[in-house]
């Protein structure tokens, strides 16, 4: 099964995307086995204004799908002895204050830190996602907040603050910007030549424009100039992302032991011996799940005109990615349907 390309399989995938207009924003998709058998394509425009079509080499902002690269960078630095997952965040960001002392890097990775989401603090300060916001401003917001949302390690609550702070840790521990570290240690060794972290706007590289429908039903550019890294900010192509998916099995970068750790979920029991509230099977920037009887690692992303979805099926050695530059398209649904077709699964 799956070891030879099937035109019938690809026709079924293309049919899924028939309802998307070639005249508006759209998506790029790929389903690629490590053996090389690949189904890929694109629908819609990367720039409506310039009439430029989306291709499988179009660069998108993948938002929270970026988190796995942040977690992986932390594991690389741990491997080098430059940090421990049980280090307090104050070792790297002391200005957060004493209330954050019990928060470890492990808590940040698994979303059990109790630190308020910096996006909530921005909203409270009347800063919109289309306004400029720097990492320094958000750090000041967090320093001024000085109150945990819940006792550390007692509850799972998805938080962008955790991964934003982990990017600060990467910079302190490596002595390089997060962008430089990821480029040198992950993207270049895996030949992900169209992948970068964008930490400053505007950027000179061509990226698919993000869009939102206005009240009149017309598409308007919808993009955010926020400069945070760690929780998002990786910009890549579907073709590059499957190279990363393969690395989650081969360990070409990091080694096999390290990539195995990427799928380890956080603890289920709190420091006081109770079950962690609302706990999820969240590993290292990836969610551990089972789809149509197949074990997989996956993550979604959504931010200001962009949405993305990535699934890795380790046993089938298959990576699936769908990136969109339109708020209303659901890449999660498309990614799962594409995976189901390619894996020849007839039942949920």
């Amino acid at each position: 099964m799956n070891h030879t390309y099937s035109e019938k399989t690809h026709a079924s995938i293309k049919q899924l995307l028939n309802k998307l207009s070639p005249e508006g924003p759209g998506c790029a998709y790929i389903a690629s086995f490590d053996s090389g058998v690949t189904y890929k394509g694109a629908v819609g425009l990367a720039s409506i204004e310039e009439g430029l079509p989306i291709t499988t080499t179009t660069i998108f902002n993948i938002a929270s799908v970026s988190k796995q690269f942040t977690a992986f960078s932390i594991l690389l630095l741990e491997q080098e002895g430059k940090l421990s997952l049980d280090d307090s965040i104050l070792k790297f960001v002391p200005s957060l204050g004493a209330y954050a002392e019990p928060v470890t890097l492990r808590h940040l990775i698994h979303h059990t830190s109790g630190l308020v989401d910096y996006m909530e603090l921005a909203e409270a300060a009347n800063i919109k996602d289309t306004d400029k916001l720097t990492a320094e401003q958000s750090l000041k917001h967090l320093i001024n907040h000085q109150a945990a949302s819940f006792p550390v390690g007692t509850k799972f609550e998805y938080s962008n603050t955790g991964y934003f702070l982990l990017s600060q840790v990467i910079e302190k521990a490596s002595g390089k910007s997060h962008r430089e570290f990821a480029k040198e240690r992950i993207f270049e060794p895996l030949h992900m030549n169209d992948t970068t972290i964008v930490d400053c706007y505007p950027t000179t590289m061509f990226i698919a424009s993000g869009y939102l429908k206005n009240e009149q039903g017309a598409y308007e550019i919808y993009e955010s100039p926020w400069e945070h890294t760690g929780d998002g900010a990786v910009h890549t192509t579907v073709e590059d992302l499957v190279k990363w998916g393969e690395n989650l099995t081969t360990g070409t970068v990091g080694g096999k032991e390290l990539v195995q750790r990427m799928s380890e979920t956080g603890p289920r029991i709190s420091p006081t011996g109770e079950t962690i509230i609302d706990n999820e099977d969240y590993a290292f920037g990836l969610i551990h799940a089972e789809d149509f009887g197949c074990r997989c690692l996956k993550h979604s992303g959504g931010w200001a005109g962009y949405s993305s979805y990535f699934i890795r099926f380790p046993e089938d050695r298959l990576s699936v990615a769908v990136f969109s530059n339109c708020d209303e398209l659901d890449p999660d649904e498309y990614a799962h349907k594409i995976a189901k077709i390619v894996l020849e699964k007839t039942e949920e």
Side-chain angles (χ1 to χ4, degrees), residues 174-304:
S174 71
K176 295 175 177 165
S177 72
H178 189 182
R179 173 177 48 79
E180 290 168 326
F181 182 85
K183 181 184 177 184
E184 288 174 21
R185 300 297 303 280
I186 305 172
F187 305 147
E188 282 184 347
L190 291 176
H191 307 292
M192 295 171 70
N193 301 326
D194 293 318
T195 304
T196 189
I197 290 173
V198 175
D199 55 7
C200 183
Y201 291 93
T203 175
T204 53
M205 60 195 284
F206 177 73
I207 300 163
S209 295
Y211 291 95
L212 179 70
K213 254 188 185 172
N214 64 20
E215 288 173 5
Q216 289 73 43
Y219 287 108
E220 288 182 350
I221 286 181
Y222 176 38
E223 292 169 350
S224 172
W226 286 18
E227 295 181 350
H228 309 70
T229 66
D231 58 316
V234 171
H235 289 58
T236 188
T237 68
V238 291
E239 298 214 22
D240 266 8
L241 200 59
V242 298
K243 297 173 186 176
W244 164 253
E246 187 171 346
N247 190 66
L248 287 173
T249 298
T250 62
T252 301
V253 171
K256 287 215 169 188
E257 192 182 323
L258 188 146
V259 295
Q260 276 176 342
R261 291 185 63 198
M262 288 289 289
S263 62
E264 291 173 7
T265 55
R268 295 176 181 276
I269 304 298
S270 77
T272 52
E274 291 152 339
T275 302
I276 290 174
I277 300 162
D278 299 334
N279 200 29
E280 292 185 20
D281 287 333
Y282 198 94
F284 283 73
L286 288 160
I287 294 161
H288 219 285
E290 194 171 294
D291 290 340
F292 8 92
C294 302
R295 190 174 68 82
C296 64
L297 295 163
K298 57 188 183 179
H299 212 290
S300 62
W303 179 239

Side-chain angles (χ1 to χ4, degrees), residues 5-16:
Y5 177 85
S6 160
E7 193 50 62
K8 185 182 170 190
T9 298
H10 205 177
S12 300
I13 294 170
K14 287 174 184 169
Q15 200 170 351
L16 281 179

Side-chain angles (χ1 to χ4, degrees), residues 40-341:
K40 62 184 180 179
V43 183
L45 298 175
S47 169
I48 295 172
E49 296 72 25
E50 296 177 47
L52 295 172
I54 296 169
T55 71
T56 57
T57 58
T58 298
I59 297 168
F60 289 79
N61 179 345
I62 61 168
S64 287
V65 174
S66 309
K67 286 183 168 72
Q68 58 199 297
F69 294 103
T70 306
F72 189 77
S73 297
I74 292 287
L75 288 176
L76 285 174
L77 288 163
E78 185 195 41
Q79 197 178 53
E80 291 170 19
K82 291 185 175 173
L83 55 79
S84 160
L85 296 190
D86 296 314
D87 285 339
S88 165
I89 184 57
L90 294 194
K91 182 175 176 181
F92 303 94
V93 192
S95 55
L96 278 177
Y99 90 103
E101 157 101 59
V103 176
T104 67
L105 308 189
R106 198 183 300 277
H107 292 125
L108 299 175
I109 285 165
H110 299 302
H111 298 291
T112 56
S113 72
L115 300 180
V116 67
D117 198 311
Y118 77 82
M119 292 187 178
E120 287 177 33
L121 299 179
E123 194 179 338
N126 293 317
I127 297 166
K128 301 187 191 75
D129 54 9
T130 49
D131 296 332
K132 188 172 174 68
L133 183 66
T134 66
E136 291 71 28
Q137 283 173 287
S138 286
L139 277 173
K140 275 183 189 163
H141 290 164
L142 288 164
I143 290 160
N144 292 337
H145 188 69
Q146 292 297 305
S149 300
F150 53 84
V152 64
T154 62
K155 181 181 177 182
F156 175 96
E157 188 172 277
Y158 187 86
S159 168
N160 290 295
T161 290
Y163 278 76
F164 162 53
L165 289 175
L166 288 170
S167 77
Q168 303 294 307
V169 173
I170 291 163
E171 299 196 344
K172 293 274 168 53
S174 71
K176 295 175 177 165
S177 72
H178 189 182
R179 173 177 48 79
E180 290 168 326
F181 182 85
K183 181 184 177 184
E184 288 174 21
R185 300 297 303 280
I186 305 172
F187 305 147
E188 282 184 347
L190 291 176
H191 307 292
M192 295 171 70
N193 301 326
D194 293 318
T195 304
T196 189
I197 290 173
V198 175
D199 55 7
C200 183
Y201 291 93
T203 175
T204 53
M205 60 195 284
F206 177 73
I207 300 163
S209 295
Y211 291 95
L212 179 70
K213 254 188 185 172
N214 64 20
E215 288 173 5
Q216 289 73 43
Y219 287 108
E220 288 182 350
I221 286 181
Y222 176 38
E223 292 169 350
S224 172
W226 286 18
E227 295 181 350
H228 309 70
T229 66
D231 58 316
V234 171
H235 289 58
T236 188
T237 68
V238 291
E239 298 214 22
D240 266 8
L241 200 59
V242 298
K243 297 173 186 176
W244 164 253
E246 187 171 346
N247 190 66
L248 287 173
T249 298
T250 62
T252 301
V253 171
K256 287 215 169 188
E257 192 182 323
L258 188 146
V259 295
Q260 276 176 342
R261 291 185 63 198
M262 288 289 289
S263 62
E264 291 173 7
T265 55
R268 295 176 181 276
I269 304 298
S270 77
T272 52
E274 291 152 339
T275 302
I276 290 174
I277 300 162
D278 299 334
N279 200 29
E280 292 185 20
D281 287 333
Y282 198 94
F284 283 73
L286 288 160
I287 294 161
H288 219 285
E290 194 171 294
D291 290 340
F292 8 92
C294 302
R295 190 174 68 82
C296 64
L297 295 163
K298 57 188 183 179
H299 212 290
S300 62
W303 179 239
Y306 299 97
S307 51
S308 51
Y309 210 86
F310 169 74
I311 319 175
R312 173 68 182 175
F313 296 90
E315 277 126 36
D316 299 281
R317 300 192 69 147
L318 171 69
S319 298
V320 179
V322 179
F323 300 165
S324 171
N325 62 336
C326 171
D327 256 25
E328 58 197 24
L329 190 139
D330 185 358
D332 174 347
E333 182 189 343
Y334 284 109
H336 283 97
K337 284 181 176 175
I338 290 168
K340 197 174 173 185
I341 291 167

